[in-house]
Amino acid sequence: MTERGNKMAKKQGIGLALIAFALYIIGGIGTFGGLALIYFMKNKDLFGWGEGRSLGYLLFCVGLCLSVLGVLLMRLFRNRGLA
């Protein structure tokens, strides 16, 4: 691989790693936000979107999925030498 191609691969790898890290952070915020909704919003309407508890379960599960995806992508990029 040429010098220029190697630099471009490193830049792309760093960008992908930042996206993976952002997914991990957003997933963590979603997970704990979902837990807060489950605990504090029992039987209360949340902006007309539905019961806070059910939306909390949704946010909790989606947050967990995003966190796991972020961790898997970070490991993948590290093992492939992109980050």
Side-chain angles (χ1 to χ4, degrees):
M1 185 177 265
T2 66
E3 177 101 14
R4 183 173 180 219
N6 194 13
K7 284 183 182 179
M8 290 192 62
K10 284 287 187 187
K11 283 185 180 181
Q12 183 182 12
I14 290 173
L16 292 172
L18 287 175
I19 290 172
F21 189 65
L23 279 175
Y24 174 67
I25 296 298
I26 291 168
I29 292 170
T31 299
F32 287 108
L35 286 174
L37 284 174
I38 291 168
Y39 185 72
F40 292 119
M41 297 296 282
K42 287 183 183 175
N43 301 323
K44 294 181 185 173
D45 187 46
L46 189 66
F47 308 120
W49 293 350
E51 186 187 3
R53 188 171 163 194
S54 61
L55 291 173
Y57 283 120
L58 175 68
L59 195 58
F60 178 73
C61 292
V62 169
L64 281 179
C65 289
L66 287 177
S67 280
V68 169
L69 179 65
V71 168
L72 289 175
L73 287 176
M74 283 190 283
R75 295 297 302 168
L76 180 77
F77 297 146
R78 183 174 178 181
N79 288 337
R80 299 281 186 247
L82 292 175

